[in-house]
Amino acid sequence: MSHLPGRPPSPPSGDQLAPLLAAFEGRPAVVGGVGKDPVNEPMIRHWCEALGDSSAAYSGPDAVAPPAMLQVWTMGGLSGNPGRSAAYEELLDLLDGAGCTSVVATDCEQEYLRPLRPGDLVAFDSVVESVSGPKTTKLGTGYFVTTRTDVRVDGEPVGTHRFRILKYAPVRAYAPSRAPESAESPEGRKPAATRPRPVINRDNAGFWDGVDRRRLLIQRCLGCRTLRFPWLPGCNACGHGEWDTVEASGEGTVFSYVVLHHPPFPAFDPPYAVGLIELAEGVRIVSNVVGVPYDKVRIGMPVRLEFVRYEEGQPELPVFRGDLPAEVGG
């Protein structure tokens, strides 16, 4: 990494970067972190309402916090965590200097050792657990950085949270290009890329089997008969592992929605509306709202299930068609 006097050093190459990054493994990311708020009932209530989780375990005098809220109690908010280490900042700066200036969160893993209860004040430390070698993705080439956060209450371990990000050099041609105007699409525009295929695994294969038959299937617990969506390997209400399915009627309303303008993704043509649809059966599903202009979508709008194949060779997808009131549509 030698450089001429008076000029900034060149960023390290891939071969030079690997040992520099490996040296950060095991170094602290946050030291002496303390939750900005104790575990509390209002935040638990907001979480449960947002996820539609009405379990009795999360309310009342003996309430516990939902286990998946473990990270919530360690988050620094807009002001950040004051215990964030210089080593972690140095790691991010090194990746920035190598051109990996963009970041996306990829996944997390959690382990629960005991329930958290209102009034608990968490303490935590984070460490850089691993930094991958260079990986090439559709977003660009970068490095996966995994941090492990050990959470405690009164010195007792209560859980572990692993969080993984991708720091990458963005592909400048990532935005979809526009084809010349043609009669092939109503807008005279044609996406240049192919839509990603749905990820199908053993837990959701039954759902996609139903979609192949143009049926929207909802899981039903054989223990407590609770309906659940998205599909899970076991009941989140009673823990029972056996289930059957019921077919959704297709009727629903827009419970919430966002309009995506940026960033553009290959084969998608923003702006478009993505809705959280509350089905007549009571569960909610995320899908596109179609048939109405994106800026006319409203909370409470009635919608109806449709199946659409966007590209040849791709599976059909469940979407929801909205209906505008006459005075709005006209």
Side-chain angles (χ1 to χ4, degrees):
M1 290 187 290
S2 60
H3 61 283
L4 296 174
R7 293 186 182 180
S10 300
S13 66
D15 291 341
Q16 295 170 322
L17 196 58
L20 297 176
L21 296 175
F24 285 91
E25 294 182 350
R27 297 181 68 180
V30 175
V31 179
V34 177
K36 292 195 170 180
D37 296 285
V39 177
N40 62 84
E41 294 178 3
M43 290 176 70
I44 292 172
R45 185 181 70 253
H46 293 321
W47 171 283
C48 291
E49 288 179 354
L51 296 183
D53 192 337
S54 58
S55 172
Y58 307 139
S59 62
D62 298 320
V64 299
M69 286 188 77
L70 181 66
Q71 184 191 17
V72 169
W73 315 113
T74 68
M75 295 175 76
L78 295 178
S79 58
N81 278 311
R84 188 149 146 168
S85 74
Y88 191 64
E89 298 290 352
E90 186 181 343
L91 168 60
L92 299 183
D93 288 344
L94 180 61
L95 288 166
D96 284 343
C100 299
T101 54
S102 295
V103 62
V104 62
T106 60
D107 63 285
C108 68
E109 304 168 16
Q110 295 183 338
E111 179 182 2
Y112 314 116
L113 303 177
R114 80 142 170 93
L116 288 169
R117 297 179 172 83
D120 285 341
L121 182 63
V122 304
F124 58 94
D125 296 289
S126 298
V127 64
V128 179
E129 189 167 67
S130 65
V131 185
S132 77
K135 306 291 184 182
T136 299
T137 72
K138 282 192 173 182
L139 293 173
T141 298
Y143 299 80
F144 289 95
V145 179
T146 304
T147 54
R148 187 192 75 244
T149 300
D150 297 311
V151 185
R152 306 176 302 279
V153 172
D154 296 330
E156 174 192 2
V158 296
T160 299
H161 175 77
R162 285 179 173 84
F163 194 71
R164 189 169 294 109
I165 63 171
L166 173 66
K167 281 280 286 179
Y168 64 96
V171 177
R172 297 305 176 190
Y174 183 60
S177 60
R178 299 294 188 189
E181 289 193 5
S182 72
E184 293 184 20
S185 67
E187 298 80 16
R189 298 180 295 184
K190 182 178 178 181
T194 300
R195 285 175 171 248
R197 296 183 67 85
V199 176
I200 301 175
N201 55 41
R202 64 181 182 181
D203 292 330
N204 67 11
F207 168 76
W208 289 106
D209 286 343
V211 170
D212 284 344
R213 292 175 281 133
R214 300 176 68 85
R215 301 174 64 202
L216 184 61
L217 299 180
I218 304 168
Q219 281 182 310
R220 178 173 58 190
C221 174
L222 291 182
C224 66
R225 311 301 286 177
T226 298
L227 299 180
R228 64 177 186 263
F229 195 91
W231 281 42
L232 296 170
C235 181
N236 56 341
C238 73
H240 196 79
E242 301 296 324
W243 49 269
D244 62 5
T245 62
V246 297
E247 182 177 358
S249 68
E251 303 290 343
T253 56
V254 176
F255 184 82
S256 185
Y257 70 96
V258 297
V259 175
L260 187 75
H261 293 269
H262 188 82
F265 292 97
F268 292 81
D269 190 18
Y272 54 88
V274 179
L276 178 61
I277 308 301
E278 185 162 82
L279 299 177
E281 291 74 18
V283 299
R284 298 171 189 157
I285 178 175
V286 176
S287 186
N288 289 84
V289 180
V290 302
V292 296
Y294 68 88
D295 57 350
K296 301 298 184 184
V297 177
R298 295 291 184 268
I299 290 173
M301 173 182 285
V303 291
R304 176 76 185 173
L305 174 68
E306 290 185 1
F307 291 91
V308 175
R309 192 185 311 278
Y310 284 97
E311 293 179 12
E312 192 65 33
Q314 290 272 27
E316 288 191 301
L317 299 175
V319 299
F320 290 85
R321 179 169 295 275
D323 289 320
L324 288 176
E327 63 272 17
V328 176

